[in-house]
Amino acid sequence: MTETASSDRPGISTPGRVELTPGTAPADLRFANDDLLPVPVAERRWTTYNFAALWVGMAHNIPSWLLASGLVALGMDWLQAVVTIALANVIVLLPMLLTGHAGPKYGIPFPVLARASFGLRGANLPALIRAAVACAWFGIQTWIGGQGIFVLLGKIFGGWAEAGRIGGQPWTLWLCFLLFWALELALIYRGMDALRRFENWAAPFVIVGALVLLVWIATEAGGLGPLLDQPSKLGWGADFWRVFFPALMGMIAFWATLSLNIPDFTRFGAGQRAQVWGQSLGLPTTMTLFALLSVLVTSGSQAVYGAPVWDPVALAAKTDNVFGLLFALVTVLVATLSVNIAANVVSPAYDLANLAPKRVNFRTGALITGVVGVLIMPWKLTATPELYIFTWLGLVGGLLGTVAGILIADYWLVRRTVLDLGGLYRSDGPYWYRGGWNPAAVLAFVAGGILAVGGSHSAPGTGPFPEDGLIPFLEPLADYGWAVGLAASLLLYTALMKRGGRRG
């Protein structure tokens, strides 16, 4: 789509892409810094391979392995688990592509895109929600990575688990955690181009590591047969469906974070074709393949050890082969670095920069993310499959689905993908609304959020919510939180904006 620049819409247009006219960069430092300004068209050069490699690198990580293996631990067989995850990733790909469209076209990150719907100040609401979720994920991933290093090095050198304890954990575990934390922040400090190069080679390496683990457990089990023969404890009746729908929403919620801030990456894209094909080839195929590897290995562990071992680090530690342990250690390092930096540091770095552009740039935001991710101690959320999949992912999915519905409604249904690029950085522009907030977006977010998570419930002893739900009459909606939040906010926001006749 070609846009024509005008005096109230300062920008240069090429087919399908828009950038600010040289010399017209916003002067109001309350809403702009170098990291939030649009990427110039000449610097938008990520290819289909770069996006596919990004997704391969992000999908192949321990928490996504825990998703699939957790479903086996909850009673599914390998086929049920793979189908659940494959369907979830096909579903979440659609909002990923829809929100990602603004990246190559305008070169803007997620918090700036959110200004069109929430307002220049109101955009901080979804940005901070996304940042808080990312900080929690950063803590989870960093703890898992540090734990993996601790377990595998302990097997190689011995005695690590018997070291003196600090805060209930061996000091050697804390050392591994802090070293891994520092390595992550050092890499992201080098910028987005360093991330692109890292993802390009990390992606195939992690695939090889997962295949090696599959070959090993199949050998231990006496072939692939025992891996495929493990029966479902749920069957295909009512017991299965009670687990399937909340599990499906949990699987969607796993990447619901990226369905919001994918413009943080697509803004570097060489065009729409690169981001559409790259994401379509990278996300659903990779997650399905990785899920298949995960459930086969977990089923194999059940055949070999009599109970499913859903943590790949714990499983790899069962070997006494030093080379195998070292290879597993490097794989854990690369896999966790790959996803944690891309998925959980890039977004909050931009989100925090959007909160205070004069004081916080991309690098400062990344450092804040690292500190907050440690302080909130979110690793407890992976203690059980129920807490990880139903409580954490279910709650997060409902809220993020609500934000996604508003972004998609605004960009596609209200504005038909046409934005005033300069206006996204001006308090006298069309996105100021009322004091920098769009009441329609706030109302749609509150209503959608209540419907999505108001019925959150936990079985006795498995979670923090009442058994009959926070708001009992909404309890039936809780298992569909992401879908409910997205649909409700999308419809309500569109109706409110169309009724008010407001467009930027």
Side-chain angles (χ1 to χ4, degrees):
M1 175 179 178
T2 303
E3 293 185 13
T4 302
S6 63
S7 58
D8 64 330
R9 291 175 183 254
I12 299 174
S13 297
T14 57
R17 299 197 284 179
V18 182
E19 65 181 343
L20 291 175
T21 305
T24 62
D28 192 341
L29 296 181
R30 293 178 300 164
F31 306 110
N33 63 24
D34 290 342
D35 297 311
L36 295 176
L37 290 174
V39 174
V41 168
E43 296 178 21
R44 302 176 202 172
R45 49 178 179 260
W46 282 33
T47 64
T48 297
Y49 177 78
N50 293 140
F51 285 113
L54 176 74
W55 273 113
V56 172
M58 289 197 297
H60 290 163
N61 63 86
I62 296 174
S64 64
W65 182 286
L66 296 178
L67 282 179
S69 59
L71 293 181
V72 174
L74 288 170
M76 290 188 184
D77 64 19
W78 72 271
L79 180 60
Q80 291 170 332
V82 170
V83 168
T84 301
I85 290 175
L87 178 60
N89 283 282
V90 169
I91 292 172
V92 81
L93 176 65
L94 181 58
M96 200 84 67
L97 297 177
L98 292 176
T99 53
H101 184 278
K105 184 171 183 177
Y106 295 101
I108 53 176
F110 155 66
V112 175
L113 173 63
R115 293 175 181 178
S117 51
F118 282 86
L120 267 72
R121 287 177 172 164
N124 286 319
L125 173 62
L128 287 178
I129 291 172
R130 174 64 183 92
V133 172
C135 288
W137 272 122
F138 178 84
I140 290 172
Q141 293 269 14
T142 305
W143 180 255
I144 288 174
Q147 205 170 33
I149 298 169
F150 168 78
V151 170
L152 296 174
L153 286 180
K155 283 285 291 186
I156 295 172
F157 298 112
W160 281 51
E162 287 74 42
R165 293 183 172 267
I166 300 175
Q169 302 288 352
W171 69 265
T172 45
L173 175 55
W174 291 114
L175 177 63
C176 293
F177 171 65
L178 291 174
L179 288 175
F180 188 67
W181 175 83
L183 178 61
E184 290 175 311
L185 293 185
L187 183 57
I188 194 62
Y189 200 77
R190 296 179 63 85
M192 289 294 290
D193 201 50
L195 171 63
R196 176 179 60 86
R197 293 194 300 269
F198 176 75
E199 295 290 352
N200 284 346
W201 70 264
F205 182 87
V206 177
I207 295 176
V208 172
L211 289 172
V212 168
L213 192 58
L214 175 62
V215 171
W216 171 68
I217 197 67
T219 303
E220 293 290 312
L224 286 175
L227 279 62
L228 301 174
D229 290 341
Q230 297 300 313
S232 170
K233 297 178 182 176
L234 304 173
W236 288 95
D239 289 342
F240 169 73
W241 297 110
R242 273 195 294 268
V243 174
F244 171 76
F245 285 110
L248 181 68
M249 291 301 107
M251 301 303 106
I252 291 172
F254 189 77
W255 291 124
T257 50
L258 267 294
S259 71
L260 297 186
N261 75 284
I262 195 65
D264 293 344
F265 301 95
T266 60
R267 68 193 296 228
F268 298 97
Q272 295 299 339
R273 183 182 180 88
Q275 75 101 1
V276 170
W277 279 104
Q279 293 202 81
S280 299
L281 293 172
L283 172 58
T285 54
T286 300
M287 281 295 289
T288 301
L289 172 62
F290 203 56
L292 180 60
L293 290 172
S294 173
V295 297
L296 288 178
V297 170
T298 305
S299 295
S301 71
Q302 187 169 353
V304 174
Y305 301 108
V309 181
W310 76 310
D311 185 344
V313 173
L315 184 60
K318 290 183 176 290
T319 181
D320 292 322
N321 184 289
V322 174
F323 174 79
L325 287 167
L326 287 173
F327 183 79
L329 175 62
V330 175
T331 303
V332 166
L333 277 170
V334 173
T336 310
L337 276 171
S338 179
V339 67
N340 214 18
I341 292 171
N344 302 319
V345 176
V346 171
S347 171
Y350 284 126
D351 296 337
L352 293 168
N354 186 71
L355 183 65
K358 287 193 293 186
R359 297 181 178 87
V360 181
N361 59 19
F362 180 82
R363 288 183 169 89
T364 306
L367 293 174
I368 294 172
T369 300
V371 173
V372 174
V374 174
L375 293 178
I376 60 179
M377 299 182 293
W379 50 81
K380 295 180 181 179
L381 294 171
T382 59
T384 68
E386 290 84 3
L387 275 174
Y388 180 51
I389 294 175
F390 296 154
T391 301
W392 166 242
L393 290 178
L395 185 66
V396 164
L399 292 176
L400 297 182
T402 302
V403 176
I406 294 170
L407 293 183
I408 292 169
D410 183 79
Y411 184 69
W412 287 94
L413 302 180
V414 175
R415 307 187 194 282
R416 307 291 182 180
T417 76
V418 178
L419 299 176
D420 178 345
L421 185 57
L424 292 169
Y425 300 89
R426 301 195 321 266
S427 59
D428 61 347
Y431 309 117
W432 188 245
Y433 299 107
R434 297 182 184 176
W437 291 78
N438 182 2
V442 175
L443 180 59
F445 173 77
V446 172
I450 291 174
L451 290 173
V453 305
S456 298
H457 58 93
S458 303
T462 64
F465 303 120
E467 186 176 0
D468 58 351
L470 291 171
I471 304 175
F473 75 90
L474 293 178
E475 190 268 341
L477 300 180
D479 290 346
Y480 313 94
W482 179 83
V484 168
L486 187 145
S489 63
L490 184 148
L491 293 173
L492 180 57
Y493 179 84
T494 302
L496 290 172
M497 292 296 286
K498 294 288 187 181
R499 182 180 179 182
R502 288 176 289 186
R503 284 187 60 186

